[in-house]
């Protein structure tokens, strides 16, 4: 599946978040949405990536943006991880079953490893992709770069 690009409409999805609540992308129409993909919970760089979303939650809110931290982990694992990291506002949707299906739809699933790329996708108020950046797996996304895209 080809990777999603700027100008595409983001495919809708419904996933359970870390609290077991449904998160439906199209429910956020009228807001920008940051899909922040991380390969696996319980790893150092992924933890820093999610903590940076939480630390900048209010700044994103000022720009009508909802951050979502997605991975292929199961939601009970993501819930325990969120508690460990003290993430209380940022939702962490679980693309667990069918395994990595949303990541596949977005062209971000790494078939050989069984997890997603590390990536940020910014979606506008109508569901159109504004920005896509895929990072090397060991690289922590620069939250200042992400915030600059949100503020545009």
């Amino acid at each position: 599946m080809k990777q999603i690009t700027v100008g595409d409409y983001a495919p809708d999805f419904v996933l359970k978040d870390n609290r077991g609540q449904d998160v439906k992308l199209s429910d956020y129409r009228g807001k920008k949405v940051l899909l922040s993909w991380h390969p696996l919970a319980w790893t150092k760089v992924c933890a820093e990536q999610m903590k940076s979303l939480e630390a900048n939650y209010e700044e994103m809110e000022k720009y009508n943006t909802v951050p979502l931290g997605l991975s292929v982990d199961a939601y009970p694992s993501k819930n325990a991880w969120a508690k460990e990291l003290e993430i209380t506002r940022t939702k962490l949707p679980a693309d667990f079953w069918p395994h990595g299906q949303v990541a596949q739809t977005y062209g971000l699933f790494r078939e050989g490893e069984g997890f997603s790329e590390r990536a940020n996708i910014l979606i506008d108020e109508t569901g159109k992709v504004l920005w896509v950046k895929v990072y090397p797996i060991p690289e922590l996304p620069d939250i200042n770069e992400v915030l600059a895209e949100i503020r545009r």
Side-chain angles (χ1 to χ4, degrees):
M1 183 128 335
K2 88 171 186 62
Q3 185 177 303
I4 196 161
T5 57
V6 172
D8 289 347
Y9 278 95
D12 200 12
F13 60 79
V14 179
L15 294 172
K16 295 273 184 221
D17 72 4
N18 50 299
R19 295 176 193 93
Q21 303 298 310
D22 283 347
V23 173
K24 184 176 183 181
L25 182 61
S26 58
D27 285 349
Y28 294 104
R29 289 290 190 271
K31 292 182 179 288
K32 288 191 269 188
V33 179
L34 175 68
L35 302 181
S36 191
W37 290 89
H38 61 97
L40 292 168
W42 303 100
T43 58
K44 186 177 182 350
V45 178
C46 296
E48 293 305 314
Q49 183 180 344
M50 294 304 103
K51 288 189 329 194
S52 72
L53 296 180
E54 183 75 4
N56 290 280
Y57 190 89
E58 288 169 12
E59 182 66 14
M60 290 185 210
E61 242 183 0
K62 281 185 208 167
Y63 291 89
N64 196 35
T65 303
V66 176
L68 299 174
L70 297 96
S71 72
V72 299
D73 300 282
Y75 80 84
S77 175
K78 293 193 85 166
N79 189 38
W81 189 52
K83 288 176 181 173
E84 174 82 14
L85 297 177
E86 298 179 356
I87 291 176
T88 59
R89 295 175 293 179
T90 305
K91 292 181 179 187
L92 306 180
D95 187 17
F96 181 67
W97 196 257
H99 188 72
Q101 185 174 47
V102 176
Q104 288 175 30
T105 303
Y106 281 73
L108 297 173
F109 192 73
R110 295 171 69 114
E111 199 67 50
E113 292 94 341
F115 54 73
S116 75
E117 297 285 358
R118 184 179 311 285
N120 280 308
I121 299 173
L122 185 61
I123 301 165
D124 77 7
E125 297 85 350
T126 67
K128 194 181 260 188
V129 176
L130 292 173
W131 180 63
V132 176
K133 184 159 183 185
V134 177
Y135 305 81
I137 293 295
E139 183 181 317
L140 177 64
D142 180 352
I143 192 64
N144 293 316
E145 178 186 35
V146 173
L147 292 171
E149 291 297 329
I150 286 169
R151 292 178 186 127
R152 283 179 183 243

